[in-house]
Amino acid sequence: MRSDYPLALPGMSIGLFGGSFDPPHTGHLHVSREALKRFGLDRVWWLVSPGNPLKPRGPAPLYRRMAAARALVQDPRITVTDVEAQLGTRYTAETLSRLMALYPGVRFVWLMGADNLAQFHRWQQWQWILRSVPVGVLARPGQRISARMSPAARAFARHRLPAAQARLLAGSEPPAWCFLNLPMVDLSSSAIRDRGEW
């Protein structure tokens, strides 16, 4: 394994928080810390993606987003990585498949905002993702109802863990997912870009 890949040992529970981080902000940090605490994770990796296949416009250059994320993150439990660019993967399912092969014995949990759950059925191999790793969904402002009524949420309704059992998620056999309502931090990368602050 390449030395610049993130470090993880068998038995660890790692939350994978993918996104363009265009730009990264304190809302991303808030979600990551809540996931560490409430899902009982050892680490969270920010997978700063080369680009989002569902977005027509490309993000800011990867090096700029990586530098901004590393400047923001001071928590040793959160690792900022461009491992997707290094692996050459474009879709989440590809990335998960490669990481699971590279890190045998590591328990990965896919983390995403409720806004992503609302359109998760548009992701490539979304059902495979839910059947391969536990998924932690973190509610963001204005997205709770649409996420809970989404095709993915309905299709896997019987595999949902109650929020009170969130700490069992990492050790659960997939399919397993958990929806958490968080104290809200109403920040978004698109709003920051719209204000010309990035």
Side-chain angles (χ1 to χ4, degrees):
M1 189 186 304
R2 287 170 46 158
S3 60
D4 50 352
Y5 286 177
L7 178 66
L9 301 173
M12 290 180 79
S13 298
I14 309 282
L16 300 175
F17 189 25
S20 53
F21 297 93
D22 186 32
H25 53 72
T26 54
H28 294 128
L29 270 179
H30 170 68
V31 165
S32 301
R33 289 185 177 130
E34 287 291 323
L36 281 160
K37 179 174 68 179
R38 306 219 4 220
F39 293 131
L41 303 172
D42 297 303
R43 299 282 187 278
V44 167
W45 294 356
W46 285 12
L47 304 182
V48 184
S49 66
N52 183 339
L54 294 180
K55 290 185 179 176
R57 275 184 56 242
L62 180 60
Y63 74 87
R64 187 177 171 209
R65 292 178 285 125
M66 286 288 294
R70 285 181 169 146
L72 179 68
V73 172
Q74 304 299 321
D75 190 321
R77 300 168 301 166
I78 302 172
T79 301
V80 176
T81 177
D82 61 353
V83 71
E84 282 188 302
Q86 296 175 49
L87 292 171
T89 55
R90 182 165 162 78
Y91 296 99
T92 298
E94 290 178 294
T95 300
L96 284 171
S97 181
R98 294 289 300 279
L99 289 176
M100 288 158 67
L102 282 169
Y103 294 92
V106 172
R107 293 190 297 266
F108 288 115
V109 176
W110 185 256
L111 302 174
M112 62 182 172
D115 52 335
N116 278 321
L117 180 62
Q119 44 98 47
F120 193 53
H121 57 286
R122 294 174 54 204
W123 291 27
Q124 189 178 73
Q125 292 183 269
W126 66 274
Q127 292 179 322
W128 179 89
I129 296 169
L130 278 161
R131 291 192 175 106
S132 300
V133 292
V135 173
V137 182
L138 302 133
R140 292 180 54 183
Q143 291 289 343
R144 297 178 184 189
I145 303 300
S146 59
R148 285 182 175 148
M149 300 306 294
S150 68
R154 291 200 308 268
F156 285 81
R158 67 189 183 91
H159 301 288
R160 178 178 167 186
L161 277 179
Q165 295 176 19
R167 290 186 72 87
L168 301 178
L169 182 67
S172 296
E173 191 68 28
W177 65 285
C178 186
F179 188 102
L180 288 183
N181 287 310
L182 300 184
M184 290 292 119
V185 174
D186 196 1
L187 282 171
S188 79
S189 296
S190 55
I192 293 169
R193 291 195 304 272
D194 291 346
R195 292 197 299 267
E197 295 173 15
W198 172 240

